[in-house]
């Protein structure tokens, strides 16, 4: 798998298109269409992604052969790397790509002198919780966030300890 750092408008457009496809496919049964539409507009529109990148987020496109198979988005938060987004297209799941992405992010965190990867995942996103547990994340318990317009993110907080590289 190739991992491309997102910087151009075309790459941001590709991320937004993947978000639209994957969130509609995966999250409607979990949070409903109204919340998917709201969250896509608020967090994964081209404008929202561009603003996040300006404010310290890094996005990466995941490519297998000629196909963009998913993306990830992270930002440093306290002593960890916050994994804000990791989404693989439905047809490409269960093939080890998520593991490869987490290994890449573990290296990235280590190089930044950070000691863990943290994330939040919807309580009812059962398959992804199982995958994260297999990938070495521990469940730290419930984490609820009000995201406006009557919606909440009803999540678990998870974290994985990574090896910090000695900084010289
Ligand atoms: C969660 C996700 C990123 C994992 O990526 P993936 O490419 O499917 O995962 P991998 O194939 O690398 O699997 C990683 C590990 O999890 C395990 N795993 C994956 N799906 C699983 C499932 N449904 N149940 C149990 N274990 C699972 C794999 O067996 C593997 O463990 P192993 O290497 O010890 O065998 C991906 O499935 C996804 O994008 N899901 C939908 C969107 C989503 O919910 N993203 C997370 C939002 S917080």
């Amino acid at each position: 798998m190739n991992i491309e750092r997102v910087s151009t408008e075309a790459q941001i457009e590709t991320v937004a298109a993947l978000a639209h496809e994957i969130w509609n496919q995966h999250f409607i049964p979990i949070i409903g269409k109204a919340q998917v539409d709201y969250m896509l507009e608020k967090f994964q529109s081209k404008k929202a992604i561009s603003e996040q990148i300006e404010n310290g987020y890094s996005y990466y496109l995941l490519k297998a052969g000629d196909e963009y198979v998913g993306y990830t988005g992270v930002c440093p938060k306290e002593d960890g790397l916050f994994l804000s987004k990791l989404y693989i297209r439905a047809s490409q799941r269960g093939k080890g790509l998520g593991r490869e992405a987490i290994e890449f992010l573990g290296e990235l965190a280590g190089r930044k002198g950070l000691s863990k990867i943290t994330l939040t995942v919807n309580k009812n996103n059962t398959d992804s919780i199982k995958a994260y547990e297999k990938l070495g994340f521990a469940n730290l318990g419930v984490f609820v966030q009000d995201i406006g317009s009557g919606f909440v993110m009803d999540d678990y907080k998870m974290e994985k300890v990574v090896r910090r590289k000695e900084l010289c």
Side-chain angles (χ1 to χ4, degrees), residues 26 86-88 93-96 98-99 125 127-128 131-132 134:
H26 189 73
L86 176 57
Y87 302 106
I88 309 282
R93 290 178 201 148
K95 297 180 176 181
R99 180 174 285 283
N125 194 353
D127 284 345
S128 300
Y132 284 134
K134 282 266 185 76

Side-chain angles (χ1 to χ4, degrees), residues 22 25-27 30 83-89 92-100 119-122 125-132 134-135:
I22 297 171
Q25 174 274 322
H26 189 73
F27 287 107
I30 299 177
L83 172 51
S84 173
K85 313 277 179 297
L86 176 57
Y87 302 106
I88 309 282
R89 297 179 82 183
Q92 302 294 333
R93 290 178 201 148
K95 297 180 176 181
L97 299 174
R99 180 174 285 283
E100 241 184 278
L119 62 85
T120 60
V121 56
N122 186 284
N125 194 353
T126 315
D127 284 345
S128 300
I129 293 168
K130 284 187 203 155
Y132 284 134
K134 282 266 185 76
L135 290 167

Side-chain angles (χ1 to χ4, degrees), residues 29-96:
I30 299 177
I31 56 175
K33 174 91 172 119
Q35 187 161 346
V36 166
D37 288 347
Y38 177 74
M39 290 181 70
L40 278 173
E41 183 57 33
K42 189 173 169 81
F43 301 121
Q44 296 288 259
S45 64
K46 281 191 286 174
K47 179 169 175 281
I49 296 165
S50 302
E51 283 171 5
Q52 289 161 19
I53 291 172
E54 277 166 28
N55 289 306
Y57 277 75
S58 303
Y59 274 85
Y60 298 89
L61 277 163
L62 311 176
K63 198 170 189 183
D66 288 340
E67 183 189 347
Y68 287 114
V69 291
Y71 70 99
T72 184
V74 294
C75 68
K77 207 177 202 179
E78 295 156 11
D79 58 340
L81 186 70
F82 177 59
L83 172 51
S84 173
K85 313 277 179 297
L86 176 57
Y87 302 106
I88 309 282
R89 297 179 82 183
S91 59
Q92 302 294 333
R93 290 178 201 148
K95 297 180 176 181

Side-chain angles (χ1 to χ4, degrees), residues 3 12 23 41 46 68 77 80 93 101 104 140-141 149 151 154 162:
I3 300 181
I12 292 172
W23 286 38
E41 183 57 33
K46 281 191 286 174
Y68 287 114
K77 207 177 202 179
R93 290 178 201 148
F104 165 77
L140 303 186
S149 296
F151 295 114
D154 191 9
V162 298

Side-chain angles (χ1 to χ4, degrees), residues 11-24:
Q11 288 173 314
I12 292 172
E13 225 161 87
T14 303
V15 172
L18 284 167
H20 189 271
E21 173 195 314
I22 297 171
W23 286 38
N24 275 291

